[in-house]
Amino acid sequence: MEIEKGHVFNLWDTNGRRNDITNAIKIYLDILSRIEEDYPDEPWGNYPNSLQQFRFYKEAISESPEVFQEHGKYDDFINSINGSEESFNKKRLKLSTSQRDNLDKNIEARARHYTSNLVRLGLSDDDRNISPTGNLFRKGGITRDEIEKLLPLDDINLIILRQLLKFRVYTKKDENGNRNFYSPCFMAFYLLTKANAIDKDNFRCKIQGISPYWKEQYDLEQLLDESMDIHDFIKDGTNIPECFQRHDKINRQDFNTHIRNRKSSSVTAIYYDFYNALYDYVENPTESTYSVLKAFFHNGNTSKLNKAFGYGQPVFKWGTSTAPYSFHQFQEENSSSPLLTQDINEVFYQHYSDSKFIDSAYEYSDTTIRLLNATGVFKFGKPLVELSYSEIWKSIFNHFSLIENIFGTATQAEYAAYESGISAYFCKEESLCEILRFDDETTKQIITEMSVALGCDNFEIKDRLEESNRHLLEQHIETKYPIERTIELLKMFSDRNNDNQIKSIVNDSATVPTIYEYMVAIAWYYISEKSISVYDSLNLTLNADFEPEIHAAGGGGDIEVDYDDHMVLLEATLMNPSAQKRGEWEPVLRHATNLKTEIQPKSLVTLFVADKLDFNTINIWRAVASVPLKASNSEKQTDHVIIMPFTNEELCNFIEKGITDDSIIAAINSSYDEISTNFNDNWRQDIMSTIIN
C-alpha cells in the first residue's frame, strides 16, 4: 500500500465500512467469483464498457441487507430504467446524463470502494482478479509448513496472519525511484514479544500512527516506554503553510484552503470562528475576549473542537460546570498551553494537523485491530493487548530480526514485484516459514525451542497447544457465558430487533447467524454437563479472544460433537419457516448424509435448531430416515439418516430443566428405531417397467 506524507494507512475503505470484516471479505470474494464465472468475457469496469461493477454492487446489497439497509440511489436508478433492464444488461440502453452520474457516483463507485479492500489485503489485484490467497480464503485447503502444522489456528486465522505479515506501507517514490516501507504486523510482534502486554489505546496508536516517512526518527526501544506521550511521538510534523507563518489574522479563504472538516463545511466554519475567538484572546487577553472564547467553546462545540485541536482531549482547562474558572484562573491553569502563546497561527495549524493525524490513526486502527484479532494470535479482550502462546512467538522471532524488517527500502522494481499485479509476492500463497525466510534447519531448531518452552516433546507440541485452547475456551465460556447468560442470549435471538445488542455482547465483528451457531454450541456444552469439547466441535473461525468470527470454509456442518460411540451434528439457523424450505433443506440433508457416510459404522443424530419450525420441514426430516441416501462428496451410500428438529425455546428448556444430552439422544433413537428402512432401491425402475411393458 502506498500513502502520501502526512496520511495514515487504512486497511478498509471508509466508504462502506463494516464491522464484520472477515464475513465481508468472504461475501465480496464470492460475488467476484460468481460474476466472473457468469460473464467471463467482461472485464472489471464501468458502464458502458462493463456492467461488472454494477452487478457487484447489486449483489453486495442483496447479500448484506442488514448492513446496506439504505440504497436509495440504487433504487432510483432501477426505477429510472424500469422496463429497460434487458437493454441495460446488454449495454444497449442510452442513459441520460443524470442516470450516468447516479450510476457512476453512487453505484459503480461503491463497488470500486468495497472491492478495494480485497486489493489492500492481497486477495485480488487492481483488476479484481481473485488472487491465489483470495481463493484459499474462499475455499480453504491451505498448505501448511512445519511450524504452521503445530499452531492451533484454522485456515482463515492463518491466511489473515500471513497477509498481515506480508503487508507493507510504502512511501511515494523519491527522485531515484526508491521507497521506504513500514510493516505494521512486524511492529505489533516486536512490541508484544518485548513488553508482553501493552495498553490497548497505546498499542493501536503506535501501530497505526507510525509511518514509513518517519523511518529515521524512530527509536524502537523508546516505543516500549509506556510512560511516554505517544501523541507527541507520532504526530504529523507537516510543513506549516505560508499564510500560517505570518502573524496577521488569517482570512476565511486562506483558512478554508488548509483547515477543513472532510465531512462537513459547517464544522469548518466552527473551526474558523474558534480561531477568530482564540486569536482575539491571545492578542488581547481580557475579561471580554475570555468571555467570548468560553461562550463559543461551550456553545455545543466542545467535542468537535477537542477532537480537531486536542487529540480528543480537552483543549483547555475550564473548571467544572458548577465552578467554572474565572478569567484569572483560566490564565493560571492554562499558562503552559501552546495554543495561548503569541505564535498563535503556527501553533494553531500544528495542533490541527497533529490532532487530525492522531484522530485518523485511532479511527483507522479499528480495522487493523479487528484483523489482528482475527488471526487468532493478538488478544484484545482485556485492557491490555497480549499475544496468544507468547513463548511460541518468541521462539519463532528469535530467528528473525523484527527490528531490521519493520522498516526498509525498496527500489521501484522491488516494489512492483512485491505488490503490483496478480503474480506479485503479496498475492501469492506464502507460508509462515517462507515469509520469514526460514530454511529447514532453522525450522527444526525453532520447533525444538517451542517444545522446550512448552515442556514437551516435539511431537506433542500441537496436542499441548490445542489442549490449552480447549481449557481456555471452557474458561471463557464459563466466565462470560454462564448458564443464565447463555439462556438469556439464546432467547434474544427470537427477536431480530436484538441483533445489535447481541453483537455488542458477543462480538460485533461476527454476523448474528454466526453468533447463534456459537451460542447453540455453548448450550449443548451445558446440556452435556460440560462433557464435550466446544473447541473441537465448532466449525467456526474464532478470534484470539475465543469469540466467533466466521463460519469456516469447507462445507462442513455447523457443530460436530464426537462421542465415544456416536456423533451429534447440530445445524443452527435463524431463517424463518418459509425461508427454511429454500435455504436449509439441501445443505442440512447434505451435511447429515456426508458426515454419516464418513463415520460409519458409528451412528449419527443430527439436530436442526431454529426459532420456529416449518410443518413440512419437520415431516420431511422424519421421512428421510426411511430412505437410502448417497453422499455428495463420494460414492458412499447410507440409510437411516436421523434429523430431529428442535426450536430455540425447547433448547432453552432443556438447559433450564437439566435435561441431558444422553436422555435427548436416547429418546430420539427410540422413536426413529420404529421407522422401517426396508426400502426398495429399485422402486422407480419397477414402475417404469410396468409402464413400458
Side-chain angles (χ1 to χ4, degrees), residues 373-508:
N373 195 216
T375 64
V377 175
F378 295 87
K379 299 190 289 186
F380 294 91
K382 300 175 182 178
L384 297 178
V385 184
E386 300 174 298
L387 284 176
S388 298
Y389 10 97
S390 60
E391 293 305 314
I392 297 301
W393 294 107
K394 288 177 181 178
S395 298
I396 290 171
F397 288 114
N398 280 340
H399 297 269
F400 179 85
S401 176
L402 286 166
I403 289 180
E404 292 179 7
N405 286 276
I406 292 172
F407 297 105
T409 303
T411 65
Q412 179 59 23
E414 289 170 334
Y415 166 75
Y418 199 90
E419 64 173 53
S420 297
I422 200 71
S423 61
Y425 175 77
F426 192 39
C427 290
K428 287 182 179 178
E429 179 186 4
E430 294 281 323
S431 74
L432 183 70
C433 287
E434 289 171 326
I435 294 166
L436 301 180
R437 303 183 293 278
F438 293 154
D439 57 24
D440 290 345
E441 190 59 37
T442 302
T443 300
K444 291 177 183 177
Q445 189 174 347
I446 290 171
I447 292 173
T448 298
E449 291 176 13
M450 290 167 64
S451 68
V452 171
L454 293 172
C456 64
D457 292 330
N458 289 10
F459 62 85
E460 296 176 310
I461 293 173
K462 181 177 176 62
D463 290 341
R464 183 68 61 91
L465 290 172
E466 288 184 340
E467 184 57 39
S468 174
N469 272 6
R470 291 185 189 99
H471 177 66
L472 289 172
L473 176 55
E474 288 175 6
Q475 277 188 331
H476 178 68
I477 289 171
E478 292 174 28
T479 301
K480 186 173 178 180
Y481 305 108
I483 288 178
E484 297 77 11
R485 191 65 182 279
T486 298
I487 294 171
E488 177 189 348
L489 275 165
L490 282 172
K491 290 180 177 179
M492 289 174 66
F493 288 100
S494 295
D495 183 354
R496 296 308 298 269
N497 291 319
N498 294 328
D499 281 8
N500 287 337
Q501 187 179 355
I502 291 169
K503 285 165 71 74
S504 69
I505 293 171
V506 182
N507 179 22
D508 67 357

Side-chain angles (χ1 to χ4, degrees), residues 231 297 302-303 305-316 355 362:
H231 295 161
F297 206 97
T302 305
S303 61
L305 297 176
N306 286 342
K307 183 176 181 180
F309 300 98
Y311 315 141
Q313 302 300 316
V315 176
F316 299 122
S355 290
Y362 276 116

Side-chain angles (χ1 to χ4, degrees), residues 587-614:
V588 169
L589 189 57
R590 170 165 43 86
H591 294 159
T593 304
N594 288 352
L595 184 58
K596 191 169 191 300
T597 59
E598 289 172 14
I599 66 171
Q600 292 178 142
K602 185 182 279 192
S603 64
L604 172 71
V605 171
T606 297
L607 308 180
F608 178 74
V609 185
D611 186 56
K612 292 182 173 59
L613 294 167
D614 168 66

Side-chain angles (χ1 to χ4, degrees), residues 289-302:
T289 54
Y290 169 63
S291 178
V292 172
L293 177 63
K294 181 173 70 170
F296 177 78
F297 206 97
H298 289 88
N299 190 24
N301 301 320
T302 305

Side-chain angles (χ1 to χ4, degrees), residues 486 490 518-532 534 537 559 561 563 566 568-570 605 607 609 646 651 654-655 659-662 664-665 668:
T486 298
L490 282 172
Y518 181 69
M519 294 310 303
V520 167
I522 292 174
W524 197 254
Y525 172 71
Y526 287 121
I527 289 169
S528 74
E529 299 178 299
K530 304 180 184 180
S531 66
I532 69 163
V534 178
S537 303
I559 304 150
V561 186
Y563 296 84
H566 68 283
V568 171
L569 170 64
L570 292 108
V605 171
L607 308 180
V609 185
F646 286 127
L651 198 67
F654 294 155
I655 306 174
I659 299 172
T660 67
D661 55 342
D662 287 343
I664 293 169
I665 300 306
I668 293 170

Side-chain angles (χ1 to χ4, degrees), residues 551-567:
H551 189 86
D558 293 346
I559 304 150
E560 299 177 358
V561 186
D562 197 357
Y563 296 84
D564 290 338
D565 59 349
H566 68 283
M567 284 189 72

